[in-house]
PDB file of all heavy atoms in Angstrom:
ATOM      1  N   LEU A 348     -64.904 -13.374  55.214  1.00  0.00           N
ATOM      2  CA  LEU A 348     -65.514 -12.366  54.467  1.00  0.00           C
ATOM      3  C   LEU A 348     -65.393 -11.051  55.126  1.00  0.00           C
ATOM      4  O   LEU A 348     -65.103 -10.000  54.487  1.00  0.00           O
ATOM      5  CB  LEU A 348     -66.921 -12.753  54.115  1.00  0.00           C
ATOM      6  CG  LEU A 348     -67.130 -13.876  53.147  1.00  0.00           C
ATOM      7  CD1 LEU A 348     -68.602 -14.245  53.075  1.00  0.00           C
ATOM      8  CD2 LEU A 348     -66.640 -13.492  51.760  1.00  0.00           C
ATOM      9  N   PRO A 373     -68.041   4.164  22.959  1.00  0.00           N
ATOM     10  CA  PRO A 373     -67.374   3.447  24.038  1.00  0.00           C
ATOM     11  C   PRO A 373     -66.076   2.774  23.741  1.00  0.00           C
ATOM     12  O   PRO A 373     -65.186   2.555  24.589  1.00  0.00           O
ATOM     13  CB  PRO A 373     -68.418   2.447  24.458  1.00  0.00           C
ATOM     14  CG  PRO A 373     -69.152   2.211  23.321  1.00  0.00           C
ATOM     15  CD  PRO A 373     -69.331   3.600  22.538  1.00  0.00           C
ATOM     16  N   PRO A 392     -55.693  -9.220  32.257  1.00  0.00           N
ATOM     17  CA  PRO A 392     -56.752  -8.215  32.037  1.00  0.00           C
ATOM     18  C   PRO A 392     -57.695  -8.606  30.897  1.00  0.00           C
ATOM     19  O   PRO A 392     -58.750  -7.891  30.738  1.00  0.00           O
ATOM     20  CB  PRO A 392     -55.998  -6.907  31.709  1.00  0.00           C
ATOM     21  CG  PRO A 392     -54.638  -7.408  31.213  1.00  0.00           C
ATOM     22  CD  PRO A 392     -54.419  -8.710  31.924  1.00  0.00           C
ATOM     23  N   THR A 394     -59.196 -11.404  30.445  1.00  0.00           N
ATOM     24  CA  THR A 394     -60.273 -12.304  30.805  1.00  0.00           C
ATOM     25  C   THR A 394     -61.578 -11.632  31.184  1.00  0.00           C
ATOM     26  O   THR A 394     -61.468 -10.437  31.714  1.00  0.00           O
ATOM     27  CB  THR A 394     -59.818 -13.254  32.003  1.00  0.00           C
ATOM     28  OG1 THR A 394     -59.441 -12.419  33.075  1.00  0.00           O
ATOM     29  CG2 THR A 394     -58.665 -14.080  31.554  1.00  0.00           C
ATOM     30  N   THR A 400     -77.912 -17.210  28.122  1.00  0.00           N
ATOM     31  CA  THR A 400     -79.142 -17.903  28.541  1.00  0.00           C
ATOM     32  C   THR A 400     -79.377 -19.089  27.620  1.00  0.00           C
ATOM     33  O   THR A 400     -79.315 -18.972  26.416  1.00  0.00           O
ATOM     34  CB  THR A 400     -80.319 -16.901  28.411  1.00  0.00           C
ATOM     35  OG1 THR A 400     -80.092 -15.741  29.132  1.00  0.00           O
ATOM     36  CG2 THR A 400     -81.580 -17.618  28.901  1.00  0.00           C
ATOM     37  N   ASP A 401     -79.583 -20.215  28.206  1.00  0.00           N
ATOM     38  CA  ASP A 401     -79.620 -21.484  27.470  1.00  0.00           C
ATOM     39  C   ASP A 401     -81.062 -21.673  26.849  1.00  0.00           C
ATOM     40  O   ASP A 401     -81.938 -20.829  27.047  1.00  0.00           O
ATOM     41  CB  ASP A 401     -79.146 -22.707  28.267  1.00  0.00           C
ATOM     42  CG  ASP A 401     -80.116 -23.104  29.372  1.00  0.00           C
ATOM     43  OD1 ASP A 401     -81.262 -22.658  29.406  1.00  0.00           O
ATOM     44  OD2 ASP A 401     -79.689 -23.919  30.233  1.00  0.00           O
ATOM     45  N   MET A 412     -61.827 -15.658  27.409  1.00  0.00           N
ATOM     46  CA  MET A 412     -60.724 -14.669  26.982  1.00  0.00           C
ATOM     47  C   MET A 412     -61.202 -13.779  25.897  1.00  0.00           C
ATOM     48  O   MET A 412     -61.915 -14.215  24.933  1.00  0.00           O
ATOM     49  CB  MET A 412     -59.513 -15.420  26.557  1.00  0.00           C
ATOM     50  CG  MET A 412     -58.299 -14.433  26.259  1.00  0.00           C
ATOM     51  SD  MET A 412     -56.752 -15.411  25.970  1.00  0.00           S
ATOM     52  CE  MET A 412     -57.191 -16.092  24.310  1.00  0.00           C
ATOM     53  N   ASP A 417     -63.492  -4.338  18.247  1.00  0.00           N
ATOM     54  CA  ASP A 417     -63.371  -3.412  17.092  1.00  0.00           C
ATOM     55  C   ASP A 417     -64.814  -3.069  16.576  1.00  0.00           C
ATOM     56  O   ASP A 417     -65.772  -3.292  17.285  1.00  0.00           O
ATOM     57  CB  ASP A 417     -62.460  -3.990  15.988  1.00  0.00           C
ATOM     58  CG  ASP A 417     -62.890  -5.362  15.520  1.00  0.00           C
ATOM     59  OD1 ASP A 417     -64.085  -5.671  15.718  1.00  0.00           O
ATOM     60  OD2 ASP A 417     -62.018  -6.122  15.132  1.00  0.00           O
ATOM     61  N   ALA A 418     -64.824  -2.628  15.358  1.00  0.00           N
ATOM     62  CA  ALA A 418     -66.151  -2.283  14.731  1.00  0.00           C
ATOM     63  C   ALA A 418     -67.138  -3.442  14.666  1.00  0.00           C
ATOM     64  O   ALA A 418     -68.314  -3.234  14.684  1.00  0.00           O
ATOM     65  CB  ALA A 418     -65.979  -1.650  13.389  1.00  0.00           C
ATOM     66  N   GLY A 420     -67.380  -5.673  17.016  1.00  0.00           N
ATOM     67  CA  GLY A 420     -67.900  -5.919  18.393  1.00  0.00           C
ATOM     68  C   GLY A 420     -66.810  -6.554  19.254  1.00  0.00           C
ATOM     69  O   GLY A 420     -65.568  -6.577  18.847  1.00  0.00           O
ATOM     70  N   THR A 428     -70.612 -26.501  19.677  1.00  0.00           N
ATOM     71  CA  THR A 428     -71.304 -27.515  20.356  1.00  0.00           C
ATOM     72  C   THR A 428     -71.187 -27.450  21.900  1.00  0.00           C
ATOM     73  O   THR A 428     -71.708 -28.295  22.584  1.00  0.00           O
ATOM     74  CB  THR A 428     -70.871 -28.943  19.910  1.00  0.00           C
ATOM     75  OG1 THR A 428     -69.437 -28.996  20.029  1.00  0.00           O
ATOM     76  CG2 THR A 428     -71.209 -29.197  18.422  1.00  0.00           C
ATOM     77  N   PHE A 445     -65.799  -7.151  32.662  1.00  0.00           N
ATOM     78  CA  PHE A 445     -64.414  -7.020  32.934  1.00  0.00           C
ATOM     79  C   PHE A 445     -64.196  -6.437  34.308  1.00  0.00           C
ATOM     80  O   PHE A 445     -64.920  -5.520  34.663  1.00  0.00           O
ATOM     81  CB  PHE A 445     -63.666  -6.144  31.930  1.00  0.00           C
ATOM     82  CG  PHE A 445     -63.747  -6.644  30.494  1.00  0.00           C
ATOM     83  CD1 PHE A 445     -64.767  -6.368  29.682  1.00  0.00           C
ATOM     84  CD2 PHE A 445     -62.687  -7.352  29.943  1.00  0.00           C
ATOM     85  CE1 PHE A 445     -64.855  -6.793  28.337  1.00  0.00           C
ATOM     86  CE2 PHE A 445     -62.665  -7.807  28.680  1.00  0.00           C
ATOM     87  CZ  PHE A 445     -63.774  -7.527  27.880  1.00  0.00           C
ATOM     88  N   ARG A 457     -73.290  -5.402  26.809  1.00  0.00           N
ATOM     89  CA  ARG A 457     -74.491  -6.273  26.532  1.00  0.00           C
ATOM     90  C   ARG A 457     -74.903  -5.975  25.192  1.00  0.00           C
ATOM     91  O   ARG A 457     -74.883  -4.862  24.647  1.00  0.00           O
ATOM     92  CB  ARG A 457     -75.546  -5.871  27.611  1.00  0.00           C
ATOM     93  CG  ARG A 457     -76.699  -6.814  27.555  1.00  0.00           C
ATOM     94  CD  ARG A 457     -77.633  -6.540  28.687  1.00  0.00           C
ATOM     95  NE  ARG A 457     -78.456  -5.321  28.497  1.00  0.00           N
ATOM     96  CZ  ARG A 457     -78.424  -4.365  29.362  1.00  0.00           C
ATOM     97  NH1 ARG A 457     -77.614  -4.292  30.370  1.00  0.00           N
ATOM     98  NH2 ARG A 457     -79.151  -3.240  29.133  1.00  0.00           N
ATOM     99  N   GLY A 458     -75.261  -7.131  24.436  1.00  0.00           N
ATOM    100  CA  GLY A 458     -75.789  -6.954  23.097  1.00  0.00           C
ATOM    101  C   GLY A 458     -75.923  -8.321  22.348  1.00  0.00           C
ATOM    102  O   GLY A 458     -75.663  -9.327  22.946  1.00  0.00           O
ATOM    103  N   GLY A 465     -66.626 -19.062   9.119  1.00  0.00           N
ATOM    104  CA  GLY A 465     -65.781 -20.099   9.606  1.00  0.00           C
ATOM    105  C   GLY A 465     -64.310 -19.816   9.339  1.00  0.00           C
ATOM    106  O   GLY A 465     -63.477 -20.068  10.165  1.00  0.00           O
ATOM    107  N   GLN A 469     -61.224 -19.782  12.107  1.00  0.00           N
ATOM    108  CA  GLN A 469     -60.037 -20.605  11.975  1.00  0.00           C
ATOM    109  C   GLN A 469     -58.761 -19.818  11.985  1.00  0.00           C
ATOM    110  O   GLN A 469     -57.732 -20.122  12.555  1.00  0.00           O
ATOM    111  CB  GLN A 469     -60.115 -21.471  10.744  1.00  0.00           C
ATOM    112  CG  GLN A 469     -61.227 -22.496  10.714  1.00  0.00           C
ATOM    113  CD  GLN A 469     -61.109 -23.546  11.806  1.00  0.00           C
ATOM    114  OE1 GLN A 469     -59.998 -24.167  11.971  1.00  0.00           O
ATOM    115  NE2 GLN A 469     -62.153 -23.853  12.551  1.00  0.00           N
ATOM    116  N   ASP A 471     -58.300 -16.882  13.291  1.00  0.00           N
ATOM    117  CA  ASP A 471     -58.134 -16.341  14.693  1.00  0.00           C
ATOM    118  C   ASP A 471     -57.487 -17.458  15.570  1.00  0.00           C
ATOM    119  O   ASP A 471     -56.503 -17.166  16.295  1.00  0.00           O
ATOM    120  CB  ASP A 471     -59.443 -15.889  15.348  1.00  0.00           C
ATOM    121  CG  ASP A 471     -59.318 -15.510  16.748  1.00  0.00           C
ATOM    122  OD1 ASP A 471     -58.899 -14.382  17.028  1.00  0.00           O
ATOM    123  OD2 ASP A 471     -59.656 -16.252  17.647  1.00  0.00           O
ATOM    124  N   ALA A 483     -58.352 -26.707  21.526  1.00  0.00           N
ATOM    125  CA  ALA A 483     -59.436 -26.735  20.668  1.00  0.00           C
ATOM    126  C   ALA A 483     -59.518 -28.056  20.016  1.00  0.00           C
ATOM    127  O   ALA A 483     -60.691 -28.647  19.780  1.00  0.00           O
ATOM    128  CB  ALA A 483     -59.276 -25.598  19.596  1.00  0.00           C
ATOM    129  N   THR A 485     -58.663 -30.898  21.289  1.00  0.00           N
ATOM    130  CA  THR A 485     -59.134 -31.929  22.226  1.00  0.00           C
ATOM    131  C   THR A 485     -60.606 -32.064  22.112  1.00  0.00           C
ATOM    132  O   THR A 485     -61.091 -33.158  22.186  1.00  0.00           O
ATOM    133  CB  THR A 485     -58.651 -31.496  23.680  1.00  0.00           C
ATOM    134  OG1 THR A 485     -57.283 -31.324  23.679  1.00  0.00           O
ATOM    135  CG2 THR A 485     -59.149 -32.479  24.619  1.00  0.00           C
ATOM    136  N   VAL A 517     -60.169 -27.034  12.873  1.00  0.00           N
ATOM    137  CA  VAL A 517     -60.925 -27.475  13.992  1.00  0.00           C
ATOM    138  C   VAL A 517     -62.354 -27.296  13.744  1.00  0.00           C
ATOM    139  O   VAL A 517     -62.940 -26.171  13.914  1.00  0.00           O
ATOM    140  CB  VAL A 517     -60.544 -26.792  15.384  1.00  0.00           C
ATOM    141  CG1 VAL A 517     -61.376 -27.407  16.495  1.00  0.00           C
ATOM    142  CG2 VAL A 517     -59.030 -26.953  15.646  1.00  0.00           C
ATOM    143  N   PHE A 533     -67.230   1.707  35.024  1.00  0.00           N
ATOM    144  CA  PHE A 533     -67.371   1.914  36.470  1.00  0.00           C
ATOM    145  C   PHE A 533     -66.024   2.234  37.008  1.00  0.00           C
ATOM    146  O   PHE A 533     -65.086   1.516  36.871  1.00  0.00           O
ATOM    147  CB  PHE A 533     -67.968   0.657  37.140  1.00  0.00           C
ATOM    148  CG  PHE A 533     -67.927   0.710  38.641  1.00  0.00           C
ATOM    149  CD1 PHE A 533     -69.071   0.871  39.371  1.00  0.00           C
ATOM    150  CD2 PHE A 533     -66.763   0.482  39.411  1.00  0.00           C
ATOM    151  CE1 PHE A 533     -69.143   0.828  40.789  1.00  0.00           C
ATOM    152  CE2 PHE A 533     -66.729   0.401  40.711  1.00  0.00           C
ATOM    153  CZ  PHE A 533     -67.923   0.658  41.494  1.00  0.00           C
ATOM    154  N   ARG A 540     -68.164   7.114  46.323  1.00  0.00           N
ATOM    155  CA  ARG A 540     -68.953   7.921  45.288  1.00  0.00           C
ATOM    156  C   ARG A 540     -68.443   7.459  43.895  1.00  0.00           C
ATOM    157  O   ARG A 540     -67.858   8.204  43.131  1.00  0.00           O
ATOM    158  CB  ARG A 540     -68.681   9.395  45.507  1.00  0.00           C
ATOM    159  CG  ARG A 540     -69.293   9.935  46.774  1.00  0.00           C
ATOM    160  CD  ARG A 540     -69.187  11.465  46.868  1.00  0.00           C
ATOM    161  NE  ARG A 540     -67.890  11.897  47.154  1.00  0.00           N
ATOM    162  CZ  ARG A 540     -67.400  12.150  48.408  1.00  0.00           C
ATOM    163  NH1 ARG A 540     -68.074  11.899  49.464  1.00  0.00           N
ATOM    164  NH2 ARG A 540     -66.134  12.608  48.590  1.00  0.00           N
ATOM    165  N   LEU A 557     -75.059   9.297  33.197  1.00  0.00           N
ATOM    166  CA  LEU A 557     -74.483   8.858  34.492  1.00  0.00           C
ATOM    167  C   LEU A 557     -75.513   7.945  35.234  1.00  0.00           C
ATOM    168  O   LEU A 557     -76.725   8.203  35.085  1.00  0.00           O
ATOM    169  CB  LEU A 557     -74.071  10.057  35.333  1.00  0.00           C
ATOM    170  CG  LEU A 557     -72.961  10.920  34.797  1.00  0.00           C
ATOM    171  CD1 LEU A 557     -72.801  12.103  35.670  1.00  0.00           C
ATOM    172  CD2 LEU A 557     -71.657  10.140  34.745  1.00  0.00           C
ATOM    173  N   TRP A 559     -76.445   6.281  39.221  1.00  0.00           N
ATOM    174  CA  TRP A 559     -76.152   6.227  40.633  1.00  0.00           C
ATOM    175  C   TRP A 559     -75.342   4.999  41.029  1.00  0.00           C
ATOM    176  O   TRP A 559     -75.576   3.918  40.442  1.00  0.00           O
ATOM    177  CB  TRP A 559     -77.410   6.275  41.556  1.00  0.00           C
ATOM    178  CG  TRP A 559     -78.156   7.575  41.572  1.00  0.00           C
ATOM    179  CD1 TRP A 559     -78.964   8.139  40.710  1.00  0.00           C
ATOM    180  CD2 TRP A 559     -77.882   8.538  42.610  1.00  0.00           C
ATOM    181  NE1 TRP A 559     -79.365   9.437  41.147  1.00  0.00           N
ATOM    182  CE2 TRP A 559     -78.718   9.605  42.355  1.00  0.00           C
ATOM    183  CE3 TRP A 559     -77.218   8.528  43.939  1.00  0.00           C
ATOM    184  CZ2 TRP A 559     -78.791  10.726  43.172  1.00  0.00           C
ATOM    185  CZ3 TRP A 559     -77.294   9.587  44.667  1.00  0.00           C
ATOM    186  CH2 TRP A 559     -78.094  10.718  44.347  1.00  0.00           C
TER     187      TRP A 559
END
Side-chain angles (χ1 to χ4, degrees):
L348 289 171
T394 57
T400 305
D401 68 15
M412 186 173 70
D417 53 27
T428 54
F445 296 85
R457 188 170 75 241
Q469 295 295 313
D471 176 79
T485 301
V517 182
F533 172 104
R540 293 189 285 269
L557 294 173
W559 281 84

